[in-house]
Structure formats: C-alpha cells, structure tokens
Amino acid sequence: MSLLADPLTLLVLAIAVVLLGLAKGGLSGVGALATPLVALVLPPTMAAALLLPILIVQDVVSVWSFRKTWDGWVIAWMLPGAAVGIAAGYFYAERVDEAKLMAALGAITLAFGLYRLWVERGGRVAAASTSPGWVGSLFGVATGFTSQIAHAGGPPFQMWVTPRRLPHLVFIGTSSILFAAVNWMKVPAYIALGAFPHQVLVAAALLMPLAIVSTLLTVRWLKRIDGARFYVIIYLLMVLLGAKLMWDGMAG
C-alpha cells in the first residue's frame, strides 16, 4: 500500500515538503521541523529516509539558484567537522535520545535567536563576528550530527554563520552548498541501515514536484528581499523553531 494513500499522511508529508522547500530556498533552519512532523505519522527512521531524497533534489535547485554567491572559507572550515558529526550520528544513532537532543537544540536555538534580536533591536548593526575557523569546525560537528539524526543541521549552522553578517544571498548560497554536500555524505549511512525500501522511494518521487516548486518560489522571494529584513526573519524563525523543538522534545 502506498504511503500516500492515507489522506492525513499525505497532508503531513506535503506540509513537511513545503517546510523543506522554505529551508532550501533560503530560510535555513525551518526544515528542522520536517522530520519531527513526519514522525507523527510514520516511524522516525522511515520519516528521515523518505525526506532525504527530497532534500537532495531540493539541494540541486538551491545550489543552482545561488551558485554565484557563497563563501568558500566558511564551507572549508565547517564541512570536515560536519563529516565527523555525520559519522558520529551513524555510529551512535541507537544510543541517542532524540527527544532530549531536540529539546536541547531547541533551547539553544531559542536563546540564540532572542539574543540576536536583542543585540540588533531597533535596526542596530552589530559588529560582524570574527571567530576563528576552528570554531566553525566545532559547529560543523554539531551540524553534521543533528543533520544525520533528524535532518536538523540548520540551527548549529546559523549560530556560527549569522553573526558573521554575510550578505544575505551569500549566506543562503553558503548554506545551500554546505548542506548539499552534507546530505550526500549521509546517503551511505542510510543505505547501510536499509532505510530505502521501494515504497519510501516511490513516495519521495511522487512528492518531488511539490519539493521543487516550493523551493523555487522561496528562492524567488528571498532574492528580492532586503538583507537586513532577511536576518530579522531568520532570527524570528529561530525563536519559533527553538520553542517548538524544545516543547516537542520535552513532551516526547
């Protein structure tokens, strides 16, 4: 029986795919809600496996859209750490209490979002962070680990990169390329876990048109938005996302 035969499952998956489209279109982080949402109607492992092919297709759209605006220095420091985090997520997946992990990630994300909104209140322009690259590698580990466990690598990425005050299109392009690489690095682990049965791949394929359209629409919108307003939106989303992840983690 198709995973999309049940109307409720179909609705939840459609909402999750749109959330991922928003994230891949440039609203990095909001995609962290997708896996917990799908896990309401499917087993968590199946939920994560179904979303991975969709993420990879959306990566193609976002990387192509922002291929001329990205920061290689940020990627060079974060990607090795992300690889370590992905490996740790694979080896320790069965020992991790996902609810507690999401609650902790949510609390940190909420606090960070509120802090940045306070620092930049009233249109204030905070000095750009100049933290060294090795700090980015540590955040890369957190990015890879949370991405492997629940496709929730956006918040750790934001915590290191948003204070650097990159032009907003460079921020989006950097996120697009980093997570495209991260998602491909996750594929061998998912294959090793046998996470791609036929019905999962068929359901993912049927959801691809919605995934592509939602990503393209978000890209079109964010290419026209003012850079300062973009960062305010990101911080507000971090507050909402953090509160939601923390609530779900504590409830779980």
Side-chain angles (χ1 to χ4, degrees):
M1 183 178 179
S2 170
L3 292 177
L4 306 182
D6 176 56
L8 177 60
T9 301
L10 177 59
L11 175 62
V12 169
L13 286 171
I15 294 171
V17 168
V18 171
L19 288 173
L20 292 176
L22 292 172
K24 291 301 177 181
L27 297 178
S28 177
V30 70
L33 292 173
T35 302
L37 179 63
V38 177
L40 295 175
V41 294
L42 296 176
T45 301
M46 182 179 288
L50 190 153
L51 294 177
L52 183 55
I54 292 171
L55 285 166
I56 288 173
V57 169
Q58 290 174 318
D59 285 332
V60 174
V61 177
S62 59
V63 168
W64 176 259
S65 299
F66 298 103
R67 64 192 182 281
K68 296 181 180 179
T69 55
W70 53 282
D71 190 312
W73 185 85
V74 170
I75 293 172
W77 278 105
M78 292 199 78
L79 196 56
V84 172
I86 290 167
Y90 169 68
F91 286 111
Y92 294 103
E94 294 183 357
R95 308 178 202 177
V96 173
D97 187 323
E98 188 174 323
K100 291 181 179 178
L101 175 64
M102 291 298 103
L105 179 63
I108 296 169
T109 302
L110 172 62
F112 180 84
L114 289 172
Y115 168 72
R116 295 303 302 185
L117 285 172
W118 172 256
V119 168
E120 299 182 27
R121 66 193 184 280
R124 292 176 173 84
V125 179
S129 170
T130 57
S131 60
W134 64 265
V135 175
S137 295
L138 296 179
F139 277 96
V141 173
T143 295
F145 186 80
T146 53
S147 186
Q148 174 66 28
I149 297 295
H151 301 319
F157 169 83
Q158 291 171 326
M159 288 176 206
W160 190 58
V161 181
T162 52
R164 306 192 75 82
R165 301 300 300 181
L166 301 174
H168 80 287
L169 294 182
V170 174
F171 174 91
I172 298 172
T174 303
S175 172
S176 298
I177 292 174
L178 177 72
F179 282 102
V182 164
N183 286 329
W184 274 108
M185 286 192 289
K186 285 152 50 175
V187 170
Y190 276 79
I191 292 175
L193 294 169
F196 294 125
H198 178 72
Q199 62 174 342
V200 167
L201 295 177
V202 170
L206 292 173
L207 290 165
M208 291 300 180
L210 177 61
I212 293 170
V213 170
S214 60
T215 306
L216 286 172
L217 289 176
T218 308
V219 166
R220 183 176 181 182
W221 171 47
L222 290 181
K223 280 190 172 182
R224 299 179 179 183
I225 199 171
D226 175 71
R229 185 179 300 176
F230 169 80
Y231 276 101
V232 171
I233 292 172
I234 290 293
Y235 297 141
L236 287 172
L237 286 174
M238 291 187 77
V239 170
L240 296 174
L241 171 65
K244 174 63 174 171
L245 290 177
M246 186 169 62
W247 175 268
D248 288 349
M250 290 188 297

